[in-house]
């Protein structure tokens, strides 16, 4: 130890270098010795695990004196791996390409996927559930064409070989490091007391750095992995290091712990082994007797020295199952031979810690390791599952297990290897059995007392939590390999075991019908039961079936079928089943039946086997038939509400049974099995069984009244419909009877599309695929797409006016409706019964549209494909007397209007008759012999052929009826006693026919035949009594009915009845035999009952001459057939009922029409946009008489009246802060969203930023109060006011708000914040804007020539401004106006209102008020498309509230009088003398007029003048301001000239200065402006420097005129809008070239009338009140004074361009993947972590963490904060991981939908399907439009509060 302590003291690096040198010598013994001593002390297990010293030493030693990072690099350079093998954990985004995959589990990491070429492939992106690994480079799992560039070239070939000394230290040190870890794992585990999860977690936490280090090593590439593999699998070093440390006490203690942990690792604990029977279940043929006595198979008896071998077979013990497996070691305690084995053992014990799993998986690219690890995994398999069953975290653990196993078992080579070498299959089946054995209970099916069958208990956690999932998943995975599946199918003992496993599920989750009261507790175990049958039974079955596709595999099928039958027989015996199912019981789970059915189907369809060779005897078939038939009857009972007392869950079961994921493993095999039974059993027996199961036997009597012993009257009709529908289904379905796969797919698709238009993904989901995911049949395959385009048309995603987003839908083509709509298939596939009705409604709509049929159609009859020869016997059902008697009886009952008959019953009866006509049995001779009397003794009909029975007349029938029935003639009852529901022909001997009796007789015959007795025994009397109702009140008596009808005559009668007129049936072929040839099939194929009967009679006549003759005779008896006697009030009722129904229908139509017209008129008044003249109350700009006051309707109290001072009326308005205007830019192209690190968005050029800079600049140099009147704010956070146009009394509104406050219903809005919905149109609102009393809008004709000249008006305006605001004392109105101002201020944030340098200055308020007006005017301009060319009262104007808003703002602004010294009006209209220059210099100057924003001045003037304003004064203000705007334009333009141009224009204008209209000539004014501004030396110098870069164009007079007009246009637009709202003037529409003159004309500044033909000069609109040149000089001097000090700023302030393009959202890339790949791994700039839910602002492109606590500030999450900062509380965010958009509006948010859709026009929320997504331009435009028009609140309905948590 001395050496070690010396080494420890030295510095680690030099020690490592020294040891490496020592070891590299030829004689390295001293080095080895030194190293061992050092390691002994470094890796001392007694030191605490958290001590990282050992790890540091380890790193240094490995690197041998180098820096560890350098060492890693060097090792990596020798990486020879050709596989990627990147391991990922849950939630990682990976790809799966079905085109390149060989195994369906194949997956690729994003890097390999993007570097490979998968264009046009069928791939999808997915979020890993359990974790996985990249398969790139592994040709066992995927095709080489799909490898990425890196793994395509065989990298391993050109890598140099590893120098020996590089990894020498690793080989020496790592074994000690690994045993060091193992020691800790042993130490942390204490066996006897159950270890709590927390303790295990603690141990793992301490070991975290060490395990991470191992993981790091695996990432160094192939060279290091080879070393690790050697160490992990070396048995010798394991032996030396683990066993040879007995002298170390600590190590010894750990070793004992390890041994005790091992003890419990077998499936059978050692103490159990000698106990004779752990669980004693009743002796007898349980699953075990199968195992023991498996046909004396020699393999079974050669159980090696298993001490349990002697145990008797009859006793069933829990663990006894192991006795038959070949290898007892499966159950035994584990033994470990190398590090790898023990590491895996501890990984399992510690319940699969993620780091360990990742380490073990990272090693897989090493082939040797892969094989060893797979073996080790299989060896521990039983132990893994045992641990899983005990685990508390079984979900997490399941995922981790599958994460490993899927990597191992997806590889066919490996799977085959371990199946052969390690008995993988035996292990799996045994473990599955062991698992299920833990939750078996006694079955209660059939015979509760003597039942010996055991089933799984679905309430157990094992089933409820799907704990068996990893095991079953692995089992399915290995069965997907052909070589493994063949092994399984060849191994008979395994098959026997498997069948006994399947029988545990047979009859599980039994339902017993509650007859008396409702169940107290609805159990939800059915979820577990259906999942278990699907996953544990059906999926392995489908897996096996995929390998039984060809003739060569016949033997396998025969074996499986044989075992199925044996197991079924055992099952029948153990549940004690004879021939009657127990009443009121049903289990939907019959996996044995379904195995049998599916293998039969495959045998006939694919392997050419003869069906009969695989079928059992008749008796067995009868037994097999009973339970599936019971399920069909129960389905009908459940839908008839007979099971309501069992709660909703029973409906859930009935729905799940037919649901698309389950149907082809459940209902389809059941129906197929019944079809087989029906084709092989006696048809009469089968038919009577069906009616008996459906409990409607008693109903099938000719009598008008009957008693049903087993059904309540209200259930009779639905049950009869159910029975008939089932028969039609049974006879029509061809899914397993010879349909080709493509036809099946087509039929499935058509039936789904007929129920509803479907999206592509919904269709994929609804069409039953082979449910085994590993079967290789992939949904979305090419046949699917081809079929879809053949049967359906694509409807592109559209928008409904309500803003609802629609997905891309597929809808059936017309010819599909016409020829392929199959109601039978629809009935089979509907989960909700209402879908059948929907399909019929859609069908009716199609017929109406295309003109085939306008009435109410019946389900169309569809010709079926011919039966496969094996199943020909099925058609015999249609030709048996029992069915014909039932059909005859029902036709008679319907024609006589008996109760409980319905249209559906008739429809199904006709369907059955038609099926019979179409499936004629061949054996019958074509000509019928005449009916001989003797044949008729025993029954109604002469033979079994439907064709001859159709025209057979039945004269008398004897029936049993209650004495009270109308049929009983009051005479002594006949002495003959018969069965309860009976039919007899009144021939010489009164023989009677009874369904039940008939069924018994047949049953007896079959039994006797099979038991080989020739003598025909008479059926036992006892069974008949069963159906006689006991103690029923009225006595039954026999009556004889005179019938005298045949089926044909009944059909003709029904035809008359349906068409409601006599002799209605008169087909052309009765007179004209030739007409047969010309029969029009289309006419008959769509229609109602009438056409169905016509079609049937025509077919009957076509088939035989006799039927034709019979029909002709009946029709010739022109004497109108007497309608059946109305023998009871019941019948009269039916007739009246029909009439009443008709009348009710007419009444309803009338009401509906009236309602519709009312609704229409409401819509016009309330919502109208199109017709501006609809309603005075809405149209606030309506042309009222000058003197009358405006009347308002209050939508709450309904009264109409004017708005007054004490009872003001208000408009319902929504106030919202908006930054839309601020996001406008100069460029017409929207900004692009950055999708790489090189791209950026710069916000400096936005409107808000520019205005901000301008205001700040002004405030630097000028008087603050004057600055705040020179610009507008509100570009960001401005308040926008919009209304729905409805008015209400303000006091009514207050009481309405009170009622909302007390109403605690969950509203989508917050009443406390003043939010409500308009009581009339339900539009969202949050304030009420008071209407100013008075005459409303003053309407003056546009061109009233004012006789006052301009200077007079200017003086008047000035005087009006001097007037102080006069206010009447406090009134209700003024109070309301105050409160609405408060609301407006509260709408936006404080930072958007405070611009003054002196806080709380009134100027601030003043600025904010007039800016609100500006914001609303500007936004209206934006909504009108940025100009006023469209004119007219636009959509917005109809509901505009600007007039009211101006009144409120004006009233508020009149509180601030403008100091006359500073009043800009005087500076605009008077020449002032130079102010004394000796004013104190510390006071800053006023803002020069040429720096002021002219529209702002306009609004200030209008709002500060007394209201209402006169039109002439308004025009005067506009004229004066236009002159300022014009000179502003000239100044701005002159800056853009080059110095030479400036000189030229200055001189050319000066020449014209003395002409008469010099003041109205732009040339003169331009020249004057230039000369004035040149007086400041610096102004143009700076300008020239700046501009010379920009403009190189030559200015012509035309371009100058155009530029001046463009500069003035924004001012004219604002003025015209203002005039339109104040005075109600209409805006004329015009072309965009004419906009300037038209607006000038409209505003009255254009003096001469404008002729479109001549070119207008903008200067001709000028009207000067004082000398133009002097006032211009005055304005320019203000600028030059400032320019002398600050020329740069002077230029920028003059040049501002008033034009902005419309606001846009960011331009998004076409493909969503571009966004996803860049942003989903991107770190947040604020917290530098990768967000869990990243989001993007679509307005400015900021990247934020949704819901991220990391970026929370002031209790607000980042998205909410950003929405306040960027959109004044409106945010539009794209959620990267979900592809959807959320909108944040104030304190609420909503999910808007997606703008990225897949190729089929569908959203993919949460990227669940992972298909490529593309930008849908239309949707994006709608989103943008809603943003710009501020209509999110109105269009999106699902809002919820976000509590600042987004």
């Amino acid at each position: 130890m001395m050496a070690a302590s010396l080494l420890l003291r030295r510095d680690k690096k030099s020690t490592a270098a020294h040891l490496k040198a020592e070891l590299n010598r030829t004689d390295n013994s001293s080095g080895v010795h030194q190293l061992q001593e050092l390691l002994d002390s470094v890796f001392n297990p007694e030191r605490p695990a958290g001590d990282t010293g050992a790890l540091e030493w380890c790193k240094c030693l490995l690197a041998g004196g180098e820096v560890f990072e350098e060492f890693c690099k060097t090792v990596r350079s020798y990486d020879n791996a050709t596989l990627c093998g990147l391991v990922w954990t849950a939630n990682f985004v990976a790809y799966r390409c079905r085109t390149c995959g060989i195994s369906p589990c194949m997956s690729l990491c994003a890097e390999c996927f993007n570097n490979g070429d998968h264009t046009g492939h069928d791939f999808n992106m997915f979020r890993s559930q359990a974790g996985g690994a990249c398969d790139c480079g592994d040709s066992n799992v995927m095709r080489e064409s799909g490898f990425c560039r890196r793994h395509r070239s065989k990298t391993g070939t050109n890598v140099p070989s590893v120098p020996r000394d590089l990894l020498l230290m690793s080989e020496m040190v790592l074994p000690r490091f690994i045993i060091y870890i193992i020691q800790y794992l042993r130490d942390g585990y204490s066996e006897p007391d159950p270890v709590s999860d927390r303790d295990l977690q603690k141990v793992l936490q301490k070991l975290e750095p060490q395990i991470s280090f191992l993981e790091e090593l695996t990432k160094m590439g192939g060279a290091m992995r080879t070393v690790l593999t050697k160490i992990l699998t070396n048995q010798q070093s394991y032996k030396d290091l683990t066993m040879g440390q007995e002298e170390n006490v600590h190590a010894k203690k750990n070793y004992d712990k390890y041994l005790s942990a091992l003890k419990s690792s077998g499936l059978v604990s050692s103490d159990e082994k000698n106990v004779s029977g752990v669980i004693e279940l009743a002796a007898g043929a349980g699953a075990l007797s199968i195992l023991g006595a498996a046909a004396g198979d020699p393999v079974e008896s050669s159980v090696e020295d298993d001490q349990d071998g002697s145990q008797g077979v009859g006793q069933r013990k829990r663990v006894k199952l192991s006795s038959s497996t070949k290898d007892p070691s499966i159950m035994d305690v584990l033994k470990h031979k190398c590090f790898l084995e023990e590491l895996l053992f501890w990984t399992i014990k510690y319940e699969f810690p993620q780091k360990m799993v990742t380490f073990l998986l990272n090693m897989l690219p090493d082939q040797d390791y892969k094989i060893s690890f797979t073996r080790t995994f299989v060896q521990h398999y039983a132990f893994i599952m045992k641990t899983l069953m005990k685990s508390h975290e079984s979900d997490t653990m399941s995922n981790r297990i599958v994460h490993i196993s899927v990597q191992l078992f997806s590889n066919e080579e490996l799977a085959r290897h371990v199946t052969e070498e390690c008995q993988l299959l035996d292990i799996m089946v045994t473990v599955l059995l062991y698992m299920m054995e833990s939750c078996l209970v006694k079955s209660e099916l059939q015979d509760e007392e003597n039942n010996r069958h055991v089933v799984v208990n679905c309430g157990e956690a094992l089933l409820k939590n799907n704990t068996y999932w990893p095991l079953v998943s692995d089992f399915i995975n290995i069965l997907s390999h052909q070589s493994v599946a063949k092994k399984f199918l060849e191994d008979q003992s395994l098959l026997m075991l498997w069948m006994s496993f399947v029988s545990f599920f047979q009859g599980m989750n039994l339902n017993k019908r509650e007859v008396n009261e409702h169940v107290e507790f609805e159990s939800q175990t059915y979820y577990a039961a259906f999942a278990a049958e699907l996953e544990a039974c059906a999926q392995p079955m489908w897996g096996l079936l995929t390998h039984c596709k060809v003739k060569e595999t016949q033997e396998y099928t025969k074996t499986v079928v044989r075992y199925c039958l044996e197991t079924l027989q055992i099952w029948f015996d153990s549940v004690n089943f004879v021939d009657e199912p127990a009443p009121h019981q049903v289990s939907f789970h019959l996996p044995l039946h379904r195995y049998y059915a599916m293998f039969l189907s495959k045998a006939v369809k694919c392997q050419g086997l003869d069906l009969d060779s695989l079928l059992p005897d008749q008796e067995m078939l009868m037994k097999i038939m009973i339970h599936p038939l019971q399920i069909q009857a129960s389905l009908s009972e459940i839908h008839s509400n007979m099971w309501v007392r069992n709660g909703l869950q029973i409906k859930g079961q009935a729905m799940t049974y037919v649901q698309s994921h389950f149907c082809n493993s459940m209902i389809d095999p059941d129906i197929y099995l019944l079809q087989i039974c029906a084709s092989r059993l006696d048809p009469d027996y089968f038919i009577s069984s069906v009616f008996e199961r459906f409990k409607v036997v008693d109903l099938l009597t000719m009598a008008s009244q009957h008693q049903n012993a087993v059904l309540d009257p209200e259930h009779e009709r639905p049950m009869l419909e159910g029975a008939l529908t089932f028969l039609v289904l049974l006879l029509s379905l061809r899914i397993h009877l010879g349909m080709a796969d493509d036809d099946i797919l087509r039929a499935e698709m058509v039936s789904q599309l007929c129920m509803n238009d479907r999206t592509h993904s919904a269709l994929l989901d609804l069409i039953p695929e082979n449910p085994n995911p590993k079967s290789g049949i992939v949904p979305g395959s090419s046949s699917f797409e081809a079929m879809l385009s053949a049967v359906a048309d694509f409807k592109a995603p559209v928008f409904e006016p309500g803003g609802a987003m629609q997905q891309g839908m597929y809808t059936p083509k017309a010819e599909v409706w016409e020829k392929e709509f199959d109601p039978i298939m629809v009935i089979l596939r509907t989960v909700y019964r209402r879908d059948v009705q929907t399909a019929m409604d859609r069908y009716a709509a199609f017929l109406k549209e295309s003109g085939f049929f306008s009435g109410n159609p019946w389900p169309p009859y569809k010709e079926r494909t011919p039966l496969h020869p094996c199943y020909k016997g099925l058609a015999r059902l249609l030709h048996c007397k029992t069915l014909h008697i039932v059909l005859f009886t029902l036709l008679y009952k319907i024609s006589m209007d008996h109760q409980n008959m319905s249209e559906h019953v008739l429809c199904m009866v006709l369907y059955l008759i038609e099926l019979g006509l179409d499936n004629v049995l061949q054996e019958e001779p074509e000509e019928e012999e005449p009916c001989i009397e003797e044949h008729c003794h025993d029954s109604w009909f002469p033979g079994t052929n439907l064709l001859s029975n159709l025209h057979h007349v039945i004269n008398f029938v004897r029936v049993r009826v209650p004495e009270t029935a109308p049929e009983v003639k009051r005479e002594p009852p006949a002495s003959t006693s018969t069965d309860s529901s009976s039919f007899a022909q009144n021939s010489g001997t009164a023989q009677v026919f009874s369904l039940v009796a008939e069924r018994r007789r047949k049953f007896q015959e079959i039994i006797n035949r099979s038991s080989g007795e020739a003598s025909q025994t008479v059926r036992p009397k006892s069974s008949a009594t069963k159906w006689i109702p006991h103690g029923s009140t009225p006595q039954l008596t026999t009556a004889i009915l005179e019938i005298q009808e045949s089926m044909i005559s009944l059909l003709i009668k029904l035809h008359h009845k349906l068409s409601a007129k006599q002799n209605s049936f008169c087909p052309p072929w009765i007179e004209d035999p030739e007409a047969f040839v010309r029969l029009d099939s289309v006419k008959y194929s769509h229609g109602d009952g009438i056409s169905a009967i016509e079609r049937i009679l025509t077919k009957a006549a076509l088939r035989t001459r006799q039927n034709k003759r019979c029909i002709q005779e009946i029709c010739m008896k022109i004497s109108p057939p007497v309608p059946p006697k109305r023998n009871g009030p019941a019948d009269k009722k039916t007739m009246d009922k029909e009439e009443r129904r008709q009348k009710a229908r007419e009444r309803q139509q009338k009401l509906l029409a009236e309602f519709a017209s009312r609704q229409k008129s409401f819509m016009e008044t309330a919502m109208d946009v199109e017709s501006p003249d609809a309603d005075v109350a809405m149209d606030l700009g309506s042309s009222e008489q000058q003197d009358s006051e405006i009347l308002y309707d209050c939508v709450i109290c309904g009264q109409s009246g004017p708005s007054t001072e004490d009872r003001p009326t208000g408009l319902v308005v929504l106030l919202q802060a908006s930054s839309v205007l601020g996001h406008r830019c100069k460029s017409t192209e929207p900004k692009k969203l950055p999708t790489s690190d090189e791209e950026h968005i710069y916000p400096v050029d936005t409107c808000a930023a520019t205005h901000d800079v301008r205001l700040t600049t002004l405030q630097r140099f000028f008087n603050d109060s004057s600055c705040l009147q020179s610009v507008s704010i509100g570009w960001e956070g401005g308040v926008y006011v919009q209304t729905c146009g409805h008015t209400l009394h303000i006091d009514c509104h207050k009481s309405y708000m009170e009622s909302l406050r007390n109403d605690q219903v969950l509203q989508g809005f917050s009443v406390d914040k003043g939010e409500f919905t308009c009581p009339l149109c339900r539009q969202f609102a949050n304030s009420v804007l008071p209407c100013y009393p008075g005459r409303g809008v003053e309407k003056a004709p546009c061109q009233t020539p004012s006789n006052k000249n301009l200077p007079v008006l200017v003086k008047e305006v000035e005087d009006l401004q001097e007037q102080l605001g006069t206010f009447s004392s406090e009134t209700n109105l003024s109070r309301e106006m105050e409160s609405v101002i408060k609301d407006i201020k509260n709408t936006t944030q404080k930072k958007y209102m405070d611009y003054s340098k002196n806080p709380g200055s009134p100027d601030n308020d003043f600025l904010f008020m007039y800016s609100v007006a500006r914001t609303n005017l500007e936004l209206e301009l934006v909504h009108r498309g940025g100009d006023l060319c469209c004119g007219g009262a636009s959509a917005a104007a109809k509901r505009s509230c600007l007039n009211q808003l101006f009144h409120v703002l004006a009233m508020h602004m009149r509180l601030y009088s403008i100091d006359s010294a500073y009043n800009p009006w005087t500076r605009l209209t008077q020449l002032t003398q130079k102010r004394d220059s000796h004013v104190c210099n510390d006071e800053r100057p006023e803002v020069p007029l040429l720096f002021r924003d002219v529209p702002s001045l306009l609004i200030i003037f209008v709002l500060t003048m007394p209201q209402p304003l006169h039109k002439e004064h308004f025009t005067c203000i506009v004229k004066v301001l236009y002159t300022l705007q014009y000179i502003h334009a000239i100044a701005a333009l002159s800056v853009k000239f080059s110095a030479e141009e400036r000189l030229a224009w200055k001189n050319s204008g000066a020449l014209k200065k003395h002409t008469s209209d010099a003041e109205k000539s732009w040339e003169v004014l331009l020249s004057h402006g230039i000369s004035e501004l040149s007086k400041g030396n610096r102004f143009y110098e700076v300008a020239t420097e700046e501009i010379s870069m920009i403009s190189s164009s030559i200015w012509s007079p035309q371009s100058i005129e155009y530029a001046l007009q463009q500069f003035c246009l924004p001012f004219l637009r604002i003025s015209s809008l203002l005039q339109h709202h104040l005075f109600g003037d209409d805006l004329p529409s015009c072309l965009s070239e004419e906009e300037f003159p038209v607006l000038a004309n409209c505003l009255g500044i254009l003096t001469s009338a404008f002729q479109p033909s001549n070119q207008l000069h903008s200067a001709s609109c000028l009207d000067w009140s004082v000398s133009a040149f002097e006032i211009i000089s005055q304005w320019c001097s203000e600028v030059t004074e400032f320019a002398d000090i600050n020329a740069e700023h002077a230029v920028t302030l003059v040049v501002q361009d008033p034009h902005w393009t419309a606001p846009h959202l960011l331009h998004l890339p076409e493909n969503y993947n571009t966004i996803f790949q860049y942003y989903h791994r991107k770190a947040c700039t604020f917290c530098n972590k990768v967000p869990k839910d990243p989001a993007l602002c679509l307005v400015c492109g900021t990247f934020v963490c949704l819901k991220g606590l990391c970026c929370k500030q002031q209790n607000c999450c980042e998205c909410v904060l950003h929405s306040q900062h960027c959109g004044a509380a409106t945010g539009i965010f794209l959620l990267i991981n979900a592809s959807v958009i959320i909108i944040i509006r104030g304190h609420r948010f909503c999910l808007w939908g997606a703008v990225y859709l897949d190729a089929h026009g569908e959203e993919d929320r949460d990227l669940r399907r992972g298909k490529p997504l593309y930008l849908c331009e239309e949707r994006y435009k709608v989103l943008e439009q809603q943003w710009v028009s501020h209509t999110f609140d109105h269009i999106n309905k699902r809002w919820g509060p976000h509590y600042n948590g987004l």
Side-chain angles (χ1 to χ4, degrees), residues 1323-1520:
Q1323 190 162 305
F1324 183 71
N1326 57 10
S1327 185
V1328 174
L1329 194 59
C1331 301
Y1332 196 75
R1335 289 202 312 272
V1337 178
E1338 184 180 324
K1339 185 103 176 179
C1342 263
Q1343 286 323 82
T1344 24
S1346 169
N1347 39 16
K1348 307 174 183 172
N1349 61 358
L1350 190 63
V1352 177
L1353 286 169
V1354 168
K1355 186 78 191 90
E1356 284 182 14
V1357 170
E1358 191 178 337
D1359 297 342
L1360 283 171
Q1361 286 180 338
E1362 301 284 297
Q1363 288 180 15
L1364 276 175
T1366 50
F1367 289 113
S1368 50
S1369 56
E1370 271 286 271
T1371 62
N1372 285 340
L1373 180 67
S1374 63
R1375 268 198 295 276
E1376 287 314 323
M1377 291 198 164
E1378 283 298 310
S1379 96
V1380 85
I1381 288 285
K1382 233 185 245 138
D1383 282 350
I1384 290 176
K1385 287 182 177 167
N1386 289 338
T1387 302
T1388 188
Q1389 299 156 41
K1390 192 118 181 68
K1391 67 173 179 188
Y1392 294 132
M1393 299 192 288
D1394 276 2
Y1395 286 93
S1396 161
K1397 292 185 168 174
N1398 332 326
S1401 128
D1403 296 326
N1404 239 340
D1405 233 10
F1406 191 79
L1407 168 65
F1408 177 67
M1409 286 305 142
Y1410 76 74
S1411 293
V1412 168
R1414 175 72 182 272
T1415 304
N1416 283 279
L1417 287 168
E1418 289 277 1
L1419 276 168
E1420 184 175 337
L1421 254 180
V1422 168
H1423 297 161
R1424 286 170 175 268
D1427 55 35
L1428 294 179
C1429 296
C1430 56
S1434 77
K1438 180 65 205 300
R1439 306 196 200 164
S1440 168
C1441 49
L1442 285 179
N1443 191 299
Q1444 279 73 9
L1445 179 66
F1446 291 147
H1447 276 297
V1448 170
L1449 294 174
M1451 176 198 130
H1452 197 73
M1453 282 175 67
R1454 299 271 293 148
L1455 300 174
Y1456 312 103
S1457 59
I1458 302 177
D1459 183 349
S1460 56
Y1462 290 127
N1463 188 346
W1465 186 250
T1466 50
R1467 290 165 58 200
L1468 279 167
T1469 54
Q1470 297 169 22
L1471 299 169
T1472 49
Q1473 271 51 53
K1474 274 280 192 197
R1475 291 229 198 102
D1476 311 333
S1477 51
H1478 59 262
V1479 181
C1480 334
N1481 280 334
D1482 58 339
E1483 173 147 346
R1484 294 182 171 178
E1486 291 265 304
V1487 177
L1489 281 174
L1490 286 182
F1491 290 171
R1492 292 193 168 205
D1493 178 46
V1494 185
S1496 300
L1497 286 171
L1498 170 71
I1499 294 172
I1500 292 175
F1501 290 145
V1502 170
L1503 291 182
T1504 48
M1505 309 238 320
Q1507 304 287 334
L1509 189 62
H1510 285 284
K1511 178 80 177 277
E1512 49 186 12
H1513 294 146
F1514 177 77
T1515 310
C1516 166
I1517 295 173
V1518 173
K1519 281 182 176 174
V1520 169

Side-chain angles (χ1 to χ4, degrees), residues 622-666:
M622 288 159 107
K623 284 186 176 178
I624 288 178
M625 163 186 110
I626 290 296
H627 290 94
L629 183 56
Q630 183 69 16
I631 293 181
Q632 307 315 310
S634 303
L635 276 182
S636 195
E637 289 178 7
I638 292 167
H639 289 303
S640 311
N641 291 332
M642 289 169 63
W643 288 70
V644 282
R645 294 198 171 91
N646 286 57
L648 271 179
Q649 55 94 22
I650 194 77
K651 270 226 155 96
Q653 292 188 52
M655 277 150 63
T656 312
Y657 174 69
V658 299
Q659 196 259 340
S660 63
H661 297 121
F662 294 89
C663 62
N664 54 355
S665 311
M666 296 205 154

Side-chain angles (χ1 to χ4, degrees), residues 350-392:
Y350 283 91
E351 300 196 355
F352 290 88
Q354 184 67 67
K355 287 270 186 206
M356 284 298 289
V357 173
T358 318
F359 163 65
L360 293 170
L361 285 174
N362 274 342
M363 290 289 297
L364 282 177
D366 189 298
Q367 267 326 97
D368 300 340
Y369 171 83
K370 195 169 196 169
I371 293 169
S372 310
F373 180 63
T374 310
R375 284 180 163 174
T376 309
F377 189 77
V378 172
Q379 173 198 344
H380 283 76
Y381 201 75
F383 177 52
I384 293 175
M385 294 309 160
K386 187 172 175 178
T387 316
L388 176 64
M389 283 166 69
K390 291 183 184 157
S391 165
H392 300 301

